[in-house]
Amino acid sequence: MLIHDLDTPAVVCDLDKLERNIQAMARHCRELDIPLRSHTKSHKIPEIAHMQLASGAIGICCQKVGEAEVMVAAGVRDILIPYNIVGPVKVERLLRLARRATITVAVDSLATAQGISDGAQRDGGSVRVLIELDTGAKRCGVQSPQEALALARQIVALPGIDLQGVMTYPSRSEAKDFLDETAALWEEAGLPLHVISGGGTGHEAISKELGCTETRSGSYIWEGLSRVRSSQDLSDERCPLRIITTVVSTPAPGRIIIDGGMKTFASYPPVPYGHCIEHPEIQIYAMSVEHGHVDVSRSSHHFRVGERLTFIPLHQEMALNLHDELVGYRGEQVEVIWPVLGRGKVK
Amino acid sequence: MLIHDLDTPAVVCDLDKLERNIQAMARHCRELDIPLRSHTKSHKIPEIAHMQLASGAIGICCQKVGEAEVMVAAGVRDILIPYNIVGPVKVERLLRLARRATITVAVDSLATAQGISDGAQRDGGSVRVLIELDTGAKRCGVQSPQEALALARQIVALPGIDLQGVMTYPSRSEAKDFLDETAALWEEAGLPLHVISGGGTGHEAISKELGCTETRSGSYIWEGLSRVRSSQDLSDERCPLRIITTVVSTPAPGRIIIDGGMKTFASYPPVPYGHCIEHPEIQIYAMSVEHGHVDVSRSSHHFRVGERLTFIPLHQEMALNLHDELVGYRGEQVEVIWPVLGRGKVK
């Protein structure tokens, strides 16, 4: 089957480009001498995780327990969930996973750690834990090295908690003082600091400079968001993920409608919602739920109903999360149809 | 099982409120004396479609062929797909459906109609067709009564095309001249105008005034978007769809993090992304993919890790489309777990 035979909207992935991105990031991290932990929330497909591991990644990240279950079931054996796992149902699932694979989670409060410890005392087992530091992202994380120290002291001896170190996101040079001070305090207190996990595609070198023992990167496999936004930099050679659409209406001069809207591309702002490969001069300027509204006023091409147009979506991870399958192709040949097994695993 | 026992994030639906909304719209349309055609893209759940039909709706709408397949398989027998169905694969599926149920589609070009006719000549059968009018929405649709007439004349005799009338969306009073002139031209030309389909929740009375033979409404079952946006009008009594979340982090004064972000609520802007039932004074001010960032600075409540918070999502249809199941409850008791069978049917 050729990609031209696929009905639309079709979410497809250029395998040559995907493999190139995976290899390039692996090489980049080898050259920096920092271990890479690939974040699989960007794709949620076990076989792509295995490709990342085969290229040299030391393990993967999942953002939810349900995603980790999918990956463990596919044979992945080292997973960091950089997320506070809260509540007895999830903790029980976490402990089950930790019996089958090396599982590490983030915590930023005694309450989260205590919940895991309580579960471990009920069900047995233990979980590797990193304390999450808020080094500027203003999301989760303890707010200071002193808080990190205090929390570490509280949880290090809890049954079922195997404290391994700290994590932050994203790795920024501004985090240096926070990390250095935390390391000094922990050393003084005799606390274990085997892992300092940094993260963010594009932050690998900074992670190394900060002294991180690993760097978590995910969106590098699609290499798209920022490039599509600043279209002068766009090299579609680096963007494997595409959505093939069909023109379903050419109602008025300057406007065409394609058969994908918010339920195909995701509703993530801002305009433009995607970059057109065949006609970079056209722009998706609005989206209904199932219609994409495209401004073609700057194009000299005569668009016809039935014509196919290929777009690099703006937020590739959110777009892929809407679909059950990803079609991998090489040249024009369909090579694999991957079920997006981690899709919708919000728990 | 009680809803308090559900792990989070959980997408739940208050069945009393859902039934009330369904009955209220059915009564509203009866009082207006305009037939209601319920748009099921808002929920994608066959049993809810059957509830709408049982309340008096004359049929349903689906936005994609894949959604209509789900509904026909569940026994629904009258479906309008107000969408240009383009391409031989979809046309073949459409014709198969049209053998099992009364299926109507919109067209706004000869190309779309010709594609359906070509398919009908290959596979047999015919499809009921409405010509879509762009009466101001600037999406699909012919641009003038003259264009509607010209297209109707082109397609009325095509094999496999059963021209039934016209449709527009949304019904607006500004559409009156367009509709009246189209009706006059069609009458003069002896063209069939059995159906004039109007649409949009809240536009039922206008549809009647415009002379529509039916009104398509969908989002009335959730009754939420505009109310959450203008929070002073919000009556959560009318909003059945909720997302139960858990507080996973209380990292700094004024900020808490919940276990649902863009993959749970959808990324549809603007702020706020949802309305909190228990604490209307707090606000989701930002979203990561799996984290909701909540401003609690205006609340005197002391939020704890593990606490559950219930939100009415901003774009309820997009949020539900991210999830595989909807839990229906009454009081606090779980009564049904519906698979969202139409989810992800973008083709």
Side-chain angles (χ1 to χ4, degrees):
Chain A
M1 183 185 250
L2 302 178
I3 50 167
H4 314 289
D5 301 324
L6 296 168
D7 196 18
T8 66
V11 187
V12 301
C13 166
D14 183 317
L15 295 171
D16 287 333
K17 294 179 178 56
L18 176 71
E19 290 165 6
R20 216 148 58 213
N21 287 351
I22 290 173
Q23 293 302 332
M25 180 57 79
R27 191 169 53 245
H28 180 52
C29 290
R30 266 197 310 276
E31 285 167 5
L32 289 168
D33 189 28
I34 185 161
L36 169 65
R37 181 179 290 280
S38 299
H39 207 317
T40 61
K41 79 184 175 74
S42 307
H43 56 76
K44 301 172 185 295
I45 294 170
E47 194 169 349
I48 297 181
H50 281 296
M51 291 163 67
Q52 292 172 308
L53 292 167
S55 78
I58 57 164
I60 66 166
C61 283
C62 295
Q63 202 71 344
K64 292 278 177 144
V65 173
E67 291 177 5
E69 287 170 340
V70 165
M71 293 296 174
V72 170
V76 176
R77 283 295 165 262
D78 188 333
I79 301 179
L80 167 61
I81 308 173
Y83 204 91
N84 284 280
I85 306 302
V86 174
V89 177
K90 283 196 197 71
V91 165
E92 187 186 331
R93 290 164 61 188
L94 183 68
L95 286 159
R96 274 202 296 265
L97 285 180
R99 279 184 212 110
R100 299 157 61 202
T102 301
I103 304 289
T104 311
V105 297
V107 308
D108 73 356
S109 70
L110 176 60
T112 299
Q114 188 69 58
I116 295 171
S117 179
D118 291 348
Q121 289 175 82
R122 266 193 318 268
D123 302 325
S126 74
V127 180
R128 292 159 54 103
V129 165
L130 305 180
I131 289 182
E132 182 167 358
L133 314 178
D134 180 358
T135 61
K138 298 195 181 303
R139 193 166 66 184
C140 298
V142 298
Q143 300 295 299
S144 67
Q146 292 71 30
E147 267 190 47
L149 175 68
L151 180 58
R153 282 183 159 147
Q154 285 179 302
I155 72 174
V156 67
L158 284 181
I161 299 290
D162 175 8
L163 184 61
Q164 288 284 317
V166 297
M167 63 148 285
T168 188
Y169 172 84
S171 296
R172 288 187 185 135
S173 48
E174 296 85 332
K176 186 157 179 38
D177 290 350
F178 197 132
L179 286 170
D180 287 351
E181 200 174 336
T182 300
L185 290 170
W186 283 36
E187 194 181 359
E188 203 176 293
L191 289 160
L193 192 59
H194 312 307
V195 177
I196 302 173
S197 181
T201 291
H203 296 249
E204 297 78 17
I206 302 172
S207 287
K208 179 67 183 178
E209 285 165 28
L210 291 171
C212 293
T213 62
E214 65 176 35
T215 186
R216 311 183 310 277
S217 300
S219 62
Y220 68 88
I221 64 160
W222 303 136
E223 275 285 9
L225 186 58
S226 56
R227 279 171 236 288
V228 174
R229 277 185 170 158
S230 60
S231 59
Q232 65 274 28
D233 295 338
L234 182 87
S235 160
D236 61 37
E237 276 307 300
R238 296 188 60 184
C239 299
L241 192 72
R242 286 102 192 275
I243 299 180
I244 306 174
T245 67
T246 296
V247 177
V248 293
S249 180
T250 58
R255 178 170 90 239
I256 64 172
I257 304 293
I258 55 173
D259 63 349
M262 291 194 282
K263 280 186 187 164
T264 297
F265 281 83
S267 50
Y268 194 84
V271 169
Y273 295 87
H275 169 86
C276 183
I277 304 283
E278 297 89 354
H279 298 283
E281 74 279 11
I282 71 175
Q283 193 178 71
I284 306 177
Y285 67 92
M287 282 201 171
S288 310
V289 170
E290 299 287 9
H291 300 81
H293 306 223
V294 187
D295 176 0
V296 297
S297 61
R298 284 192 298 272
S299 182
S300 58
H301 178 71
H302 176 67
F303 292 88
R304 297 167 294 98
V305 168
E307 187 169 354
R308 291 157 79 97
L309 295 173
T310 310
F311 289 85
I312 300 170
L314 178 58
H315 197 316
Q316 313 195 0
E317 173 183 345
M318 287 296 295
L320 182 55
N321 181 57
L322 293 166
H323 301 275
D324 293 323
E325 288 182 347
L326 174 64
V327 176
Y329 68 97
R330 208 177 296 272
E332 297 186 340
Q333 193 73 42
V334 170
E335 194 170 297
V336 59
I337 299 178
W338 280 312
V340 187
L341 290 175
R343 194 209 63 74
K345 305 294 183 200
V346 292
K347 292 189 175 86
Chain B
M1 180 184 252
L2 302 178
I3 50 168
H4 314 289
D5 301 324
L6 296 168
D7 197 18
T8 67
V11 187
V12 301
C13 166
D14 183 316
L15 295 171
D16 287 333
K17 294 178 177 55
L18 176 70
E19 290 165 6
R20 216 146 59 210
N21 287 350
I22 290 173
Q23 293 302 332
M25 180 56 80
R27 191 170 52 244
H28 180 51
C29 290
R30 266 197 309 275
E31 285 168 5
L32 289 168
D33 189 28
I34 185 162
L36 168 65
R37 181 178 289 279
S38 299
H39 207 317
T40 62
K41 79 183 175 75
S42 307
H43 55 78
K44 301 172 186 294
I45 294 170
E47 195 169 348
I48 298 181
H50 281 295
M51 291 162 67
Q52 293 172 309
L53 292 167
S55 79
I58 57 163
I60 67 166
C61 282
C62 294
Q63 202 70 346
K64 293 278 178 145
V65 173
E67 290 176 6
E69 287 170 340
V70 166
M71 292 297 174
V72 170
V76 176
R77 283 295 166 262
D78 188 331
I79 301 179
L80 167 61
I81 307 173
Y83 204 91
N84 283 281
I85 306 303
V86 174
V89 177
K90 282 195 198 73
V91 166
E92 188 186 331
R93 290 163 62 188
L94 183 68
L95 286 159
R96 275 201 297 264
L97 284 181
R99 278 184 215 111
R100 299 157 62 201
T102 301
I103 304 288
T104 311
V105 297
V107 308
D108 72 357
S109 71
L110 177 59
T112 298
Q114 188 68 58
I116 294 171
S117 180
D118 291 348
Q121 288 175 83
R122 268 193 317 270
D123 302 324
S126 74
V127 179
R128 291 159 55 101
V129 165
L130 305 180
I131 289 183
E132 182 167 359
L133 313 179
D134 180 359
T135 60
K138 299 197 181 302
R139 192 166 68 183
C140 297
V142 297
Q143 300 295 301
S144 67
Q146 292 71 30
E147 267 190 48
L149 175 67
L151 180 57
R153 281 182 159 147
Q154 285 178 303
I155 72 174
V156 67
L158 284 180
I161 298 291
D162 175 8
L163 183 62
Q164 289 284 318
V166 298
M167 62 149 284
T168 189
Y169 173 84
S171 297
R172 288 186 184 135
S173 49
E174 296 86 333
K176 185 156 180 41
D177 290 350
F178 197 131
L179 286 170
D180 287 352
E181 199 174 338
T182 300
L185 289 170
W186 283 37
E187 193 180 1
E188 204 177 293
L191 290 161
L193 192 59
H194 313 307
V195 177
I196 302 172
S197 181
T201 291
H203 296 249
E204 297 78 18
I206 302 173
S207 287
K208 179 67 184 179
E209 285 165 28
L210 290 171
C212 293
T213 62
E214 65 176 34
T215 187
R216 310 183 310 278
S217 300
S219 61
Y220 69 88
I221 65 160
W222 304 135
E223 275 285 9
L225 185 58
S226 57
R227 278 171 238 288
V228 175
R229 277 186 168 156
S230 59
S231 59
Q232 66 272 29
D233 295 339
L234 182 85
S235 161
D236 60 37
E237 275 307 299
R238 296 188 59 185
C239 300
L241 192 72
R242 286 101 191 274
I243 299 180
I244 307 174
T245 66
T246 296
V247 177
V248 293
S249 180
T250 57
R255 179 169 88 239
I256 64 172
I257 304 292
I258 55 172
D259 64 349
M262 290 193 283
K263 281 186 187 164
T264 298
F265 282 82
S267 50
Y268 194 84
V271 169
Y273 295 87
H275 169 86
C276 183
I277 304 284
E278 297 89 353
H279 298 282
E281 73 279 11
I282 71 175
Q283 194 179 71
I284 305 177
Y285 66 93
M287 281 202 171
S288 309
V289 170
E290 299 287 10
H291 300 80
H293 307 223
V294 187
D295 176 0
V296 296
S297 61
R298 283 193 297 272
S299 182
S300 58
H301 179 71
H302 175 67
F303 292 89
R304 298 167 293 97
V305 168
E307 187 170 352
R308 293 158 78 99
L309 295 173
T310 310
F311 289 86
I312 299 170
L314 177 58
H315 197 315
Q316 314 195 0
E317 173 182 345
M318 287 296 295
L320 182 55
N321 182 56
L322 293 165
H323 301 275
D324 293 322
E325 288 182 347
L326 174 63
V327 176
Y329 67 98
R330 209 177 296 274
E332 298 186 339
Q333 193 72 44
V334 170
E335 194 169 298
V336 59
I337 299 178
W338 280 312
V340 187
L341 290 175
R343 195 210 62 74
K345 304 293 183 200
V346 292
K347 292 189 175 89

